[in-house]
């Protein structure tokens, strides 16, 4: 048996105990303690960390022709059309160099996916040549090169007017909620330019961090910031283009999902939260932040957006703002339990857990 095949088999064996631990749904639901308190860690995560470390080490090594031609089932990615696990040809590992050198294909519908750009496009429309579609204006706005460039260079900082406590404090608050799943795989959905993606990846808390956004230009900005920090280029960090309402991951395959200042921009928040619930493992945690419905919660004033209209066209500022009760109701209706929240003026951080 070749060295390459042995390595793949070793990774499968390493991952098996963690998979077994997460597959049981018979255990009673655990209440999430308040942020800042200590919590028990789920069993099996030392194994997950070992598997991730092994994958990163293998990906960092020079790849022989034999290794480059390995075909295996992916660790976490699934086809956005039929949700079947993708087959992967190339070096293993959830990191930028390994994914860039890999090709992906669905064994059921034969749809192929590649990283021709600096991100892996796992949208339903990936590879289409004639077909195109437009999302609502509030979604299309963030696909603009200008808005993507400005997001981390002044746009996001204005959120403090509505009560957002700031990046460092928001990150620590999220980390407190994610304590029970330390060592697992985290998705940073609607990641934008990667403000929190980089913090999660550098924390060393997770076996892998996957930054996900629908905007191609946001993902390009994310990569521009990542490549300025050499320490991030070979960690288990991936960039993926995907639709929040059609997540390209198998059911019960990830441990944590973060959505910072995002849900008010989603075309269908209910479909998105249902997808989040689907892909979370039992015991997995979802944390989101947004603007509560109030007269003072709109950072995107008409005056602020007027200079953009000549470049990006008409802008619809009709975002989805919710009350605390609506957010709790939405999470519960999508099967999440142990809802909790933290409110500061129009800012809310809310969390729910996938039942065991």
């Amino acid at each position: 048996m070749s060295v390459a095949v042995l390595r793949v088999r070793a990774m499968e064996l390493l991952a098996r105990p963690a998979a077994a631990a997460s597959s049981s749904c018979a255990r009673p639901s655990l209440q999430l303690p308040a942020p800042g308190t200590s919590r028990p860690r789920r069993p099996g995560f030392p194994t997950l960390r070992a598997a991730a470390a092994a994958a990163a080490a293998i990906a960092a090594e020079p790849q022989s022709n034999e290794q480059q031609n390995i075909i295996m089932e992916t660790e976490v990615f699934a086809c956005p059309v039929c949700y079947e696990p993708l087959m992967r040809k190339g070096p293993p590992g959830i990191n930028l160099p390994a994914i860039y050198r890999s090709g992906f294909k669905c064994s059921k519908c034969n749809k192929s996916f590649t990283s021709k750009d600096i991100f892996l496009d796992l949208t339903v429309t990936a590879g289409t040549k004639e077909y195109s579609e437009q999302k609502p204006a509030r979604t299309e706005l963030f696909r603009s090169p200008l808005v993507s460039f400005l997001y981390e260079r002044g746009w996001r900082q204005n959120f403090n007017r509505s009560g957002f406590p700031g990046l460092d404090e928001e990150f620590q608050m999220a980390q407190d909620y994610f304590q029970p799943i330390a060592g697992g795989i985290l998705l940073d959905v609607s990641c934008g330019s990667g403000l929190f993606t980089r913090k999660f990846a550098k924390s060393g808390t997770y076996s892998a961090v996957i930054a996900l956004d629908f905007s191609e230009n946001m993902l390009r900005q994310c990569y521009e910031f990542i490549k300025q920090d050499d320490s991030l280029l070979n960690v288990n960090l991936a960039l993926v283009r995907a639709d929040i309402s059609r997540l390209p991951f198998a059911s019960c395959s990830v441990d944590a999902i973060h959505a910072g200042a995002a849900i008010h921009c989603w075309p269908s928040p209910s479909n998105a939260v249902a997808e989040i619930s689907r892909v979370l493992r039992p015991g997995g945690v979802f944390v989101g932040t947004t603007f509560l419905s109030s007269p003072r919660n709109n950072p995107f004033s008409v005056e602020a957006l007027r200079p953009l209209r000549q470049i990006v066209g008409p802008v619809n500022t009709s975002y989805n703002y919710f009350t605390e009760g609506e957010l709790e109701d939405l999470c519960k209706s999508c099967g999440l339990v142990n809802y909790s929240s933290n409110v500061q003026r129009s800012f809310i951080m809310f969390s729910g857990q996938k039942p065991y």
Side-chain angles (χ1 to χ4, degrees), residues 96 148 151-153 157 167 171 175 186 188 191-206 209-211 218-233 235 237-239 258:
L96 293 172
S148 299
Y151 188 77
E152 196 166 328
R153 297 173 174 90
Q157 287 79 351
L167 300 178
F171 168 70
Q175 285 286 83
L186 178 140
D188 187 19
C191 66
S193 59
L195 285 160
F196 291 102
T197 299
R198 302 193 299 274
K199 289 180 177 292
F200 288 130
K202 294 188 75 169
S203 71
T205 308
Y206 310 98
V209 174
I210 300 173
M218 280 295 189
L219 290 168
R220 292 184 184 108
Q221 283 295 317
C222 190
Y223 180 72
E224 288 298 315
F225 284 110
I226 288 172
K227 73 179 185 181
Q228 294 174 21
D229 188 340
D230 292 340
S231 67
L232 290 172
L233 292 176
V235 299
L237 169 61
L239 303 182
H258 173 261

Side-chain angles (χ1 to χ4, degrees), residues 22-339:
S22 64
S23 63
S24 173
C25 297
R27 289 174 286 181
S29 174
L30 298 180
Q31 181 68 36
L32 282 174
T37 59
S38 61
R39 324 169 193 216
R41 295 190 179 186
R42 287 174 52 200
F45 277 121
T47 302
L48 273 176
R49 284 197 292 270
I58 292 171
E61 295 176 4
Q63 301 294 320
S64 67
N65 290 334
E66 186 179 11
Q67 286 175 296
Q68 292 284 4
N69 291 325
I70 296 173
I71 299 177
M72 58 185 167
E73 192 172 287
T74 58
E75 300 91 335
V76 63
F77 301 128
C79 175
V81 176
C82 54
Y83 292 143
E84 289 293 314
L86 294 178
M87 301 305 294
R88 175 175 179 174
K89 182 177 181 180
I94 305 177
N95 59 73
L96 293 172
I99 289 177
Y100 184 79
R101 298 198 301 267
S102 297
F104 298 83
K105 187 174 184 178
C106 178
S107 58
K108 184 174 182 179
C109 69
N110 290 322
K111 186 173 178 65
S112 296
F113 306 88
T114 59
S115 293
K116 291 181 179 178
D117 213 323
I118 48 80
F119 54 83
L120 176 61
D121 191 342
L122 293 180
T123 59
V124 171
T125 56
T128 55
K129 297 178 180 179
E130 301 294 335
Y131 178 80
S132 64
E133 63 184 17
Q134 293 288 313
K135 295 289 185 179
R138 60 179 176 269
T139 300
E140 291 296 320
L141 175 67
F142 293 97
R143 297 180 72 185
S144 158
L146 178 59
V147 174
S148 299
F149 178 82
L150 292 175
Y151 188 77
E152 196 166 328
R153 297 173 174 90
W155 184 296
R156 180 55 163 78
Q157 287 79 351
N158 286 327
F159 289 10
N160 60 4
R161 298 177 182 177
S162 295
F164 278 65
L167 300 178
D168 291 339
E169 187 174 342
E170 291 169 50
F171 168 70
Q172 191 54 58
M173 291 167 66
Q175 285 286 83
D176 289 341
Y177 277 115
F178 287 140
Q179 282 185 21
I181 49 75
I185 296 173
L186 178 140
L187 303 185
D188 187 19
V189 301
S190 296
C191 66
S193 59
L195 285 160
F196 291 102
T197 299
R198 302 193 299 274
K199 289 180 177 292
F200 288 130
K202 294 188 75 169
S203 71
T205 308
Y206 310 98
S207 60
V209 174
I210 300 173
L212 182 150
D213 206 288
F214 187 73
S215 168
E216 305 91 326
N217 285 306
M218 280 295 189
L219 290 168
R220 292 184 184 108
Q221 283 295 317
C222 190
Y223 180 72
E224 288 298 315
F225 284 110
I226 288 172
K227 73 179 185 181
Q228 294 174 21
D229 188 340
D230 292 340
S231 67
L232 290 172
L233 292 176
N234 287 305
V235 299
N236 288 316
L237 169 61
L239 303 182
V240 174
R241 181 173 183 248
D243 187 338
I244 187 63
S245 294
R246 195 77 183 177
L247 292 174
F249 303 96
S251 298
C252 301
S253 62
V254 299
D255 305 278
I257 297 180
H258 173 261
I263 191 172
H264 52 275
C265 298
W266 293 345
S268 174
S270 59
N271 286 347
V273 177
E275 274 291 89
I276 286 169
S277 180
R278 178 184 68 81
V279 304
L280 279 174
R281 285 183 175 137
V285 177
F286 167 51
V287 173
T289 61
T290 189
F291 300 88
L292 285 173
S293 179
S294 78
R296 62 186 299 177
N297 70 350
N298 191 352
F300 311 108
S301 67
V302 173
E303 292 298 322
L305 290 175
R306 182 171 289 135
L308 297 178
R309 285 197 173 124
Q310 293 180 342
I311 301 171
V312 300
V315 175
N316 179 4
T317 59
S318 179
Y319 293 90
N320 293 309
Y321 296 123
F322 303 98
T323 64
E324 291 182 67
E326 286 175 321
L327 289 171
E328 181 175 4
D329 195 29
L330 174 59
C331 289
K332 289 181 177 179
S333 71
C334 293
L336 300 178
V337 298
N338 298 333
Y339 177 89

